[in-house]
Short mmCIF file of all heavy atoms in Angstrom, two decimals:
data_model
loop_
_atom_site.label_atom_id
_atom_site.label_comp_id
_atom_site.label_asym_id
_atom_site.label_seq_id
_atom_site.Cartn_x
_atom_site.Cartn_y
_atom_site.Cartn_z
N CYS G 202 -34.76 -33.57 -32.27
CA CYS G 202 -34.18 -34.88 -31.91
C CYS G 202 -32.71 -34.92 -32.28
O CYS G 202 -31.88 -35.43 -31.53
CB CYS G 202 -34.91 -36.02 -32.64
SG CYS G 202 -36.66 -36.15 -32.24
N LYS G 203 -32.39 -34.37 -33.46
CA LYS G 203 -31.00 -34.33 -33.91
C LYS G 203 -30.16 -33.47 -32.97
O LYS G 203 -29.01 -33.78 -32.69
CB LYS G 203 -30.90 -33.79 -35.33
CG LYS G 203 -31.41 -34.77 -36.38
CD LYS G 203 -31.29 -34.18 -37.77
CE LYS G 203 -31.91 -35.10 -38.80
NZ LYS G 203 -31.99 -34.49 -40.11
N MET G 204 -30.74 -32.37 -32.50
CA MET G 204 -30.02 -31.50 -31.55
C MET G 204 -29.78 -32.21 -30.23
O MET G 204 -28.73 -32.04 -29.61
CB MET G 204 -30.81 -30.20 -31.30
CG MET G 204 -30.78 -29.26 -32.47
SD MET G 204 -31.77 -27.75 -32.28
CE MET G 204 -32.13 -27.61 -30.57
N MET G 205 -30.72 -33.03 -29.80
CA MET G 205 -30.60 -33.73 -28.51
C MET G 205 -29.71 -34.97 -28.59
O MET G 205 -29.23 -35.45 -27.57
CB MET G 205 -31.99 -34.11 -27.98
CG MET G 205 -32.84 -32.94 -27.53
SD MET G 205 -32.04 -31.93 -26.25
CE MET G 205 -31.97 -33.09 -24.89
N GLY G 206 -29.49 -35.48 -29.80
CA GLY G 206 -28.68 -36.69 -29.98
C GLY G 206 -27.34 -36.66 -29.26
O GLY G 206 -27.04 -37.55 -28.44
N PRO G 207 -26.51 -35.63 -29.51
CA PRO G 207 -25.21 -35.56 -28.83
C PRO G 207 -25.34 -35.40 -27.31
O PRO G 207 -24.53 -35.92 -26.55
CB PRO G 207 -24.55 -34.33 -29.44
CG PRO G 207 -25.27 -34.08 -30.72
CD PRO G 207 -26.66 -34.61 -30.53
N VAL G 208 -26.39 -34.69 -26.88
CA VAL G 208 -26.63 -34.49 -25.44
C VAL G 208 -26.92 -35.85 -24.78
O VAL G 208 -26.37 -36.18 -23.73
CB VAL G 208 -27.80 -33.51 -25.21
CG1 VAL G 208 -28.20 -33.44 -23.75
CG2 VAL G 208 -27.45 -32.14 -25.75
N VAL G 209 -27.78 -36.62 -25.42
CA VAL G 209 -28.15 -37.95 -24.89
C VAL G 209 -26.91 -38.86 -24.88
O VAL G 209 -26.67 -39.58 -23.92
CB VAL G 209 -29.30 -38.56 -25.72
CG1 VAL G 209 -29.58 -39.98 -25.31
CG2 VAL G 209 -30.57 -37.70 -25.57
N ALA G 210 -26.10 -38.78 -25.94
CA ALA G 210 -24.89 -39.60 -26.02
C ALA G 210 -23.91 -39.24 -24.90
O ALA G 210 -23.33 -40.14 -24.26
CB ALA G 210 -24.22 -39.42 -27.39
N GLU G 211 -23.72 -37.95 -24.64
CA GLU G 211 -22.83 -37.51 -23.54
C GLU G 211 -23.36 -38.00 -22.20
O GLU G 211 -22.58 -38.46 -21.36
CB GLU G 211 -22.73 -35.98 -23.52
CG GLU G 211 -21.84 -35.40 -24.58
CD GLU G 211 -21.83 -33.88 -24.53
OE1 GLU G 211 -21.93 -33.29 -23.42
OE2 GLU G 211 -21.74 -33.27 -25.61
N LEU G 212 -24.65 -37.90 -22.01
CA LEU G 212 -25.26 -38.34 -20.76
C LEU G 212 -25.08 -39.84 -20.57
O LEU G 212 -24.82 -40.30 -19.46
CB LEU G 212 -26.75 -37.97 -20.76
CG LEU G 212 -27.35 -37.53 -19.44
CD1 LEU G 212 -26.53 -36.44 -18.80
CD2 LEU G 212 -28.77 -37.05 -19.65
N ALA G 213 -25.20 -40.60 -21.65
CA ALA G 213 -25.00 -42.05 -21.58
C ALA G 213 -23.60 -42.37 -21.07
O ALA G 213 -23.43 -43.27 -20.24
CB ALA G 213 -25.23 -42.67 -22.96
N GLU G 214 -22.61 -41.61 -21.55
CA GLU G 214 -21.22 -41.81 -21.09
C GLU G 214 -21.08 -41.43 -19.62
O GLU G 214 -20.51 -42.17 -18.82
CB GLU G 214 -20.27 -40.94 -21.92
CG GLU G 214 -20.30 -41.23 -23.39
CD GLU G 214 -19.23 -42.21 -23.81
OE1 GLU G 214 -18.15 -42.22 -23.20
OE2 GLU G 214 -19.50 -42.98 -24.76
N GLU G 215 -21.61 -40.25 -19.28
CA GLU G 215 -21.48 -39.72 -17.91
C GLU G 215 -22.14 -40.61 -16.87
O GLU G 215 -21.63 -40.77 -15.77
CB GLU G 215 -22.12 -38.33 -17.83
CG GLU G 215 -21.14 -37.21 -17.86
CD GLU G 215 -21.84 -35.87 -17.75
OE1 GLU G 215 -22.57 -35.64 -16.76
OE2 GLU G 215 -21.66 -35.06 -18.67
N LEU G 216 -23.29 -41.15 -17.21
CA LEU G 216 -24.08 -41.91 -16.23
C LEU G 216 -23.89 -43.41 -16.35
O LEU G 216 -24.60 -44.17 -15.70
CB LEU G 216 -25.57 -41.55 -16.38
CG LEU G 216 -25.92 -40.08 -16.15
CD1 LEU G 216 -27.39 -39.83 -16.42
CD2 LEU G 216 -25.56 -39.64 -14.74
N ALA G 217 -22.93 -43.84 -17.17
CA ALA G 217 -22.66 -45.27 -17.36
C ALA G 217 -22.45 -45.95 -16.00
O ALA G 217 -21.74 -45.43 -15.14
CB ALA G 217 -21.44 -45.46 -18.25
N GLY G 218 -23.13 -47.08 -15.81
CA GLY G 218 -23.03 -47.80 -14.55
C GLY G 218 -24.11 -47.40 -13.55
O GLY G 218 -24.39 -48.12 -12.60
N LYS G 219 -24.72 -46.21 -13.74
CA LYS G 219 -25.78 -45.73 -12.85
C LYS G 219 -27.14 -45.77 -13.53
O LYS G 219 -28.14 -46.08 -12.91
CB LYS G 219 -25.51 -44.29 -12.42
CG LYS G 219 -24.32 -44.10 -11.53
CD LYS G 219 -24.23 -42.64 -11.12
CE LYS G 219 -22.78 -42.26 -10.92
NZ LYS G 219 -22.52 -40.86 -11.13
N VAL G 220 -27.14 -45.40 -14.82
CA VAL G 220 -28.38 -45.29 -15.59
C VAL G 220 -28.12 -45.86 -16.98
O VAL G 220 -27.10 -45.55 -17.59
CB VAL G 220 -28.82 -43.81 -15.72
CG1 VAL G 220 -30.06 -43.68 -16.60
CG2 VAL G 220 -29.07 -43.19 -14.37
N LYS G 221 -29.05 -46.67 -17.48
CA LYS G 221 -28.98 -47.12 -18.87
C LYS G 221 -29.62 -46.04 -19.72
O LYS G 221 -30.59 -45.40 -19.30
CB LYS G 221 -29.77 -48.41 -19.07
CG LYS G 221 -29.08 -49.67 -18.65
CD LYS G 221 -29.94 -50.84 -19.12
CE LYS G 221 -29.56 -52.12 -18.44
NZ LYS G 221 -30.48 -53.20 -18.80
N VAL G 222 -29.11 -45.86 -20.93
CA VAL G 222 -29.68 -44.89 -21.86
C VAL G 222 -29.96 -45.61 -23.17
O VAL G 222 -29.09 -46.27 -23.72
CB VAL G 222 -28.72 -43.70 -22.09
CG1 VAL G 222 -29.31 -42.75 -23.12
CG2 VAL G 222 -28.45 -42.97 -20.77
N GLY G 223 -31.20 -45.48 -23.64
CA GLY G 223 -31.59 -46.13 -24.88
C GLY G 223 -32.40 -45.22 -25.77
O GLY G 223 -32.95 -44.22 -25.31
N LYS G 224 -32.44 -45.56 -27.05
CA LYS G 224 -33.18 -44.77 -28.02
C LYS G 224 -34.20 -45.64 -28.74
O LYS G 224 -33.90 -46.78 -29.08
CB LYS G 224 -32.21 -44.17 -29.05
CG LYS G 224 -31.21 -43.20 -28.40
CD LYS G 224 -30.20 -42.68 -29.39
CE LYS G 224 -30.71 -41.60 -30.27
NZ LYS G 224 -30.85 -40.28 -29.71
N VAL G 225 -35.39 -45.08 -28.95
CA VAL G 225 -36.44 -45.75 -29.70
C VAL G 225 -36.75 -44.89 -30.92
O VAL G 225 -37.19 -43.74 -30.78
CB VAL G 225 -37.73 -45.93 -28.86
CG1 VAL G 225 -38.86 -46.47 -29.72
CG2 VAL G 225 -37.47 -46.84 -27.67
N ASN G 226 -36.51 -45.44 -32.11
CA ASN G 226 -36.87 -44.75 -33.35
C ASN G 226 -38.37 -44.96 -33.55
O ASN G 226 -38.82 -46.07 -33.79
CB ASN G 226 -36.06 -45.33 -34.51
CG ASN G 226 -36.35 -44.61 -35.81
OD1 ASN G 226 -37.47 -44.22 -36.11
ND2 ASN G 226 -35.30 -44.44 -36.61
N VAL G 227 -39.13 -43.88 -33.43
CA VAL G 227 -40.59 -44.00 -33.46
C VAL G 227 -41.13 -44.45 -34.82
O VAL G 227 -42.22 -45.02 -34.90
CB VAL G 227 -41.31 -42.70 -33.01
CG1 VAL G 227 -40.99 -42.39 -31.57
CG2 VAL G 227 -40.98 -41.54 -33.92
#
Side-chain angles (χ1 to χ4, degrees):
C202 298
K203 288 180 185 172
M204 287 177 16
M205 289 304 295
V208 172
V209 173
E211 283 178 34
L212 217 51
E214 300 266 328
E215 259 181 57
L216 299 176
K219 292 183 211 153
V220 176
K221 280 188 196 174
V222 177
K224 296 176 79 76
V225 173
N226 183 322
V227 296

